[in-house]
Amino acid sequence: MTVDPAARVAELRAQIAHHNERYFAMDAPEISDADFDLLVRELTELEAAHPELAVADSPTQTVGASATFAPVEHEIPMMSLDKAFNTDEFDNWHTRLVRAAGEGRELGSFVCELKFDGLAISARYENGTLVRAATRGDGRVGEDVTANVATIANVPKQLGSDAPAILEVRGEVYMPISDFNALNDARREAGEQLYANPRNTAAGSLRQKDASVTASRNLRWFAYQLGQVEGAPTLTRHSETFEYLDSLGFPVNDQVKVVESADAVKAYFADAEARRHEFDYETDGAVAKIDSLAMQRDLGVTSHHPRWAIAFKFQPEEKSTKLIDIQVSIGGKGKATPFAVLEPVFVGGSTVQMATLHNEDQVKVKNIRPGDTVLVRKAGDVIPEVLGPVLSERAPDLPEWTFPTHCSCENHHPLSRSEGDAAHYCLHPTCPIQRDAWIEHFAARAAMDIEGFGERTVQLFTAQGLLSDIAGVYELDFEAVGQIEGFGEISVRNLETSIEASKGQGLGRLLIGLNIRHLGNSGAHVLAKAFGHLDKIIEADLETLASVDGVGPTIAESLRAYFDDEINLGIIERLRAAGVDFNGPEVIEVDQTLEGLAIVVSGGLENFSRDSVKDAITSRGGKSPGSVSKKTTALVVGESPGASKVTKAEELGVPIIDEAAFVELLETGVVPPG
DNA sequence: ACACCTCGAGTTCT
DNA sequence: CTCGAGGTGT
């Protein structure tokens, strides 16, 4: 193929800049992360191969976070705060603290503050001069954004002559809501795409290679905490830091309040929540800190949070919006799932325009109809959920919604719902939507994990007739792929490499990719381990299959039906011919320390990936279910664990342990005390 | 037959 | 995250 590298580089830069803007600033990505990475990787490699084409402001220098900004290690880590989602959780925190403070010792007063929805920043001054500003990053290492922060109007660049030798000030950078709205008004008039929300816009504005862009946006910050300090007057109370910061010329928020009791803290929280929309900045909660610095020191920190502070999260916001339509998506196994198409509404920190409705009955239970005004919120702060209609706003003649009788694909196959089933299915084996979903599923991370083979790529390939089933992935005509726009020499080679690598993923992942009804992650790996080779499973009778622990009559039946199907067997033979590994995992001898135990993991750990942690547990004879129950031996929490799991574990008295204790548990099979 | 745990699938947005 | 449904033990 003869493509002019200079032209391709220019094209890639334009594409990357466009998608970068969509992703970071507008909150509306058009392509998947994997596809985006492919573009960046191709550009990086082209620039490496043609150094004369590399330029300083190339997107390869500015995307991917760490590429642009030098890492900065925080002398004192910027820890995140423990969270309470309701007053009960706050009471629990308070009770723990009273106990930790010790007999007859008062916790003293609390400082209440708002929790700003912006970017946490640490600014370091040496002998009164701003020398460095860094983002929070992972808490230990952030990014150097000094040039950008220096353009923020109310960040002091130079302190008075009484400034200490070293002063590290922590605060939150934000964009005032009024400025955000003005910016969007201007963009609307110019016909430009609107920014999604103040927080993302502030983040995008700050993380600019060109600091003059940052300067053109009206960013502000509030200072609220000291980090490393040398040569400053000794403070005894956290509330004094606000007075001190103010005296040095730092902007501090005017809603800070010192109160004397836990009840007064709760009153502050309730008041802040009620008034949250009065402020010209976004808040997502309020914070209480123990005022006495001596008491803070004594209470200390856990591996993730200071014990002396807690963030109270405001209730998830509910907004009303228009239910434009109810549409149906078709999954890889033909399942038809209705979802709400909403007039875009900003709720709980992001713009929502879709929400799943699960099935026909759920639509009935919720009593919603296209055209209704509906209430929307974020379940668990993440997943959009339609709560129900605002009946007072329903037009009297608004018709009820009925489940479509036919698949939305071009062949309009019939959809059917069997007796006793909640879901509708499109059972047609040649449905193109199902076909695409299956191939996507096959390439997905839990299955064959083929990088760069996402939704967009699959649809492109099937539409071009390059691919019609999963075995086709290994029969791809790469010459033809190279002809498709957007597939340069390098991205074709990368794709070829990752497809080749996927052949060795092993039986467990292959079984997942085969798309067998009722067989998911867990069942697939159990079978792979029990049988050791795909042919043994294909030959096994119902009884043998169902005798495997975790496989019952339904899954056994489903397996038999799958492997009795000539079409499926044909696909499997083509996979074999392509050299796909049909072997199960090698059984490595590890001490079965966790026999009979169930360990749930939530949040990211430092020394384990999501997969490796499950492996560490199951290879030692333990189970690693996805949710906490009273049978759970322990809940391991890492960085930002799921709140519901922690709450559940607390309710049931399941021990909650950190990574270090988990490692000990792996070795000993005993939950360490503490 | 039932309760309780688990698992699977579809889903949203960063 | 939520719903629905399979698996297992009582």
Side-chain angles (χ1 to χ4, degrees):
Chain A
M1 220 175 42
T2 54
V3 172
D4 173 14
R8 181 67 186 147
V9 164
E11 184 188 354
L12 282 169
R13 281 188 192 142
Q15 285 180 13
I16 291 168
H18 170 74
H19 292 304
N20 221 15
E21 174 84 353
R22 302 278 313 180
Y23 183 91
F24 283 107
M26 292 173 194
D27 197 21
E30 288 168 344
I31 61 174
S32 73
D33 288 359
D35 290 336
F36 180 77
D37 288 345
L38 270 184
L39 294 178
V40 174
R41 205 171 335 139
E42 184 182 352
L43 178 58
T44 309
E45 289 177 27
L46 270 177
E47 286 181 348
H50 303 275
E52 75 279 5
L53 297 177
V55 292
D57 68 345
S58 165
T60 53
Q61 306 298 306
T62 54
V63 295
S66 52
T68 338
F69 302 100
V72 172
E73 192 165 340
H74 299 297
E75 306 285 342
I76 302 171
M78 295 179 76
M79 297 180 108
S80 56
L81 297 181
D82 202 2
K83 295 178 190 71
F85 287 88
N86 52 54
T87 48
D88 279 355
E89 289 177 19
F90 171 78
D91 287 335
N92 289 342
W93 172 80
H94 184 243
T95 310
R96 280 202 303 276
L97 247 57
V98 169
R99 204 179 311 135
E103 196 74 30
R105 198 162 163 228
E106 296 287 328
L107 289 172
S109 48
F110 301 86
V111 181
C112 297
E113 309 167 25
L114 296 178
K115 190 168 178 293
F116 313 108
D117 200 10
L119 283 94
I121 289 289
S122 163
R124 186 183 173 88
Y125 295 80
E126 290 177 5
N127 298 314
T129 306
L130 173 66
V131 294
R132 204 191 63 200
T135 62
R136 177 176 176 277
D138 64 5
R140 256 184 52 253
V141 180
E143 293 173 331
D144 190 329
V145 287
T146 312
N148 311 74
V149 168
T151 69
I152 297 174
N154 68 350
V155 173
K157 265 58 79 180
Q158 184 68 50
L159 306 177
S161 55
D162 53 346
I166 294 177
L167 181 73
E168 191 192 333
V169 178
R170 289 168 181 184
E172 194 90 358
V173 170
Y174 66 97
M175 178 177 282
I177 295 173
S178 52
D179 288 288
F180 170 77
N181 289 337
L183 181 66
N184 257 355
D185 286 346
R187 290 184 75 91
R188 188 179 298 112
E189 268 174 39
E192 292 170 303
Q193 174 88 29
L194 301 186
Y195 288 119
N197 61 62
R199 203 200 80 88
N200 283 9
T201 313
S205 303
L206 193 72
R207 297 172 45 82
Q208 293 283 334
K209 182 77 177 168
D210 180 358
S212 68
V213 177
T214 313
S216 73
R217 307 279 164 75
N218 191 14
L219 298 183
R220 316 241 116 207
W221 83 326
F222 285 124
Y224 55 68
Q225 183 88 41
L226 294 176
Q228 198 192 10
V229 177
E230 276 173 31
T234 310
L235 306 178
T236 62
R237 319 195 71 83
H238 176 60
S239 50
E240 290 167 4
T241 62
F242 287 102
E243 291 157 25
Y244 180 59
L245 285 168
D246 183 50
S247 75
L248 289 172
F250 289 94
V252 296
N253 182 254
D254 61 2
Q255 300 293 320
V256 177
K257 193 173 169 190
V258 179
V259 303
E260 300 303 326
S261 71
D263 282 341
V265 171
K266 285 188 269 188
Y268 179 92
F269 286 165
D271 178 61
E273 182 160 17
R275 298 194 299 124
R276 63 188 295 197
H277 297 297
E278 290 174 17
F279 311 122
D280 194 23
Y281 40 83
E282 293 202 311
T283 57
D284 58 353
V287 180
K289 294 174 180 168
I290 298 290
D291 195 13
S292 158
L293 296 181
M295 180 58 87
Q296 284 190 7
R297 209 167 31 243
D298 291 348
L299 290 167
V301 299
T302 71
S303 57
H304 295 106
H305 316 292
R307 288 203 183 84
W308 40 264
I310 190 144
F312 179 84
K313 298 283 278 185
F314 292 153
Q315 281 313 109
E317 206 183 4
E318 289 176 13
K319 284 264 185 78
S320 67
T321 189
K322 192 85 151 186
L323 177 62
I324 299 170
D325 195 9
I326 296 176
Q327 294 181 4
V328 169
S329 74
I330 307 290
K333 294 182 171 79
K335 192 173 176 186
T337 309
F339 63 94
V341 180
L342 304 162
E343 194 129 290
V345 58
F346 187 71
V347 56
S350 61
T351 304
V352 170
Q353 48 191 342
M354 268 189 263
T356 182
L357 297 171
H358 302 291
N359 58 46
E360 182 179 27
D361 293 345
Q362 282 295 309
V363 177
K364 287 221 175 82
V365 167
K366 291 200 159 124
N367 181 23
I368 50 179
R369 306 175 183 181
D372 263 334
T373 299
V374 292
L375 284 176
V376 177
R377 73 160 177 203
K378 291 278 194 71
D381 244 11
V382 185
I383 312 281
E385 180 184 13
V386 174
L387 293 165
V390 181
L391 286 174
S392 57
E393 297 194 20
R394 174 180 285 174
D397 54 350
L398 196 65
E400 238 179 279
W401 178 78
T402 51
F403 210 96
T405 54
H406 291 81
C407 179
S408 53
C409 72
E410 69 253 28
N411 300 327
H412 301 290
H413 301 123
L415 297 178
S416 62
R417 177 177 177 182
S418 325
E419 181 90 27
D421 249 2
H424 284 72
Y425 282 88
C426 167
L427 293 169
H428 210 285
T430 65
C431 172
I433 300 182
Q434 274 185 70
R435 174 200 62 199
D436 286 9
W438 182 10
I439 301 172
E440 275 166 53
H441 169 76
F442 181 77
R445 188 181 303 199
M448 301 305 264
D449 194 17
I450 306 175
E451 237 184 290
F453 216 96
E455 185 177 340
R456 197 183 72 118
T457 312
V458 170
Q459 288 180 5
L460 212 55
F461 288 2
T462 54
Q464 305 263 340
L466 294 172
L467 193 59
S468 60
D469 59 34
I470 56 164
V473 171
Y474 299 107
E475 298 158 356
L476 261 183
D477 177 353
F478 290 101
E479 286 269 311
V481 173
Q483 306 301 310
I484 301 175
E485 200 188 342
F487 280 86
E489 212 174 314
I490 291 168
S491 51
V492 171
R493 205 169 53 230
N494 286 336
L495 190 62
E496 215 170 338
T497 313
S498 40
I499 288 176
E500 192 58 36
S502 74
K503 291 179 183 172
Q505 290 288 6
L507 182 54
R509 284 163 167 275
L510 176 61
L511 283 169
I512 296 171
L514 289 180
N515 203 32
I516 302 166
R517 180 104 106 110
H518 300 132
L519 192 72
N521 205 325
S522 167
H525 287 291
V526 166
L527 280 171
K529 207 170 162 189
F531 286 87
H533 195 281
L534 182 57
D535 289 337
K536 297 230 177 79
I537 303 175
I538 297 176
E539 290 157 12
D541 60 21
L542 269 181
E543 209 170 57
T544 318
L545 291 168
S547 70
V548 175
D549 194 22
V551 178
T554 314
I555 294 180
E557 196 89 50
S558 174
L559 285 162
R560 263 295 17 111
Y562 187 96
F563 293 120
D564 285 339
D565 184 305
E566 287 302 325
I567 295 173
N568 292 334
L569 290 178
I571 289 173
I572 288 167
E573 284 320 306
R574 280 160 60 213
L575 291 172
R576 190 197 307 272
V580 174
D581 183 9
F582 284 6
N583 286 295
E586 280 177 55
V587 183
I588 307 159
E589 283 300 322
V590 183
D591 281 353
Q592 299 295 294
T593 46
L594 305 182
E595 195 83 62
L597 305 187
I599 299 160
V600 179
V601 184
S602 182
L605 302 182
E606 287 210 356
N607 298 307
F608 295 89
S609 69
R610 245 165 230 289
D611 283 343
S612 74
V613 80
K614 284 214 165 202
D615 215 54
I617 295 166
T618 51
S619 69
R620 288 171 174 78
K623 287 189 175 175
S624 176
S627 59
V628 176
S629 72
K630 65 183 174 194
K631 285 193 183 170
T632 307
T633 315
L635 172 67
V636 183
V637 292
E639 185 64 34
S640 54
S644 63
K645 285 186 192 146
V646 176
T647 314
K648 193 85 184 276
E650 278 168 354
E651 271 172 25
L652 298 171
V654 171
I656 301 174
I657 62 176
D658 64 9
E659 184 166 351
F662 170 61
V663 172
E664 206 180 319
L665 171 59
L666 285 179
E667 279 166 23
T668 62
V670 180
V671 181

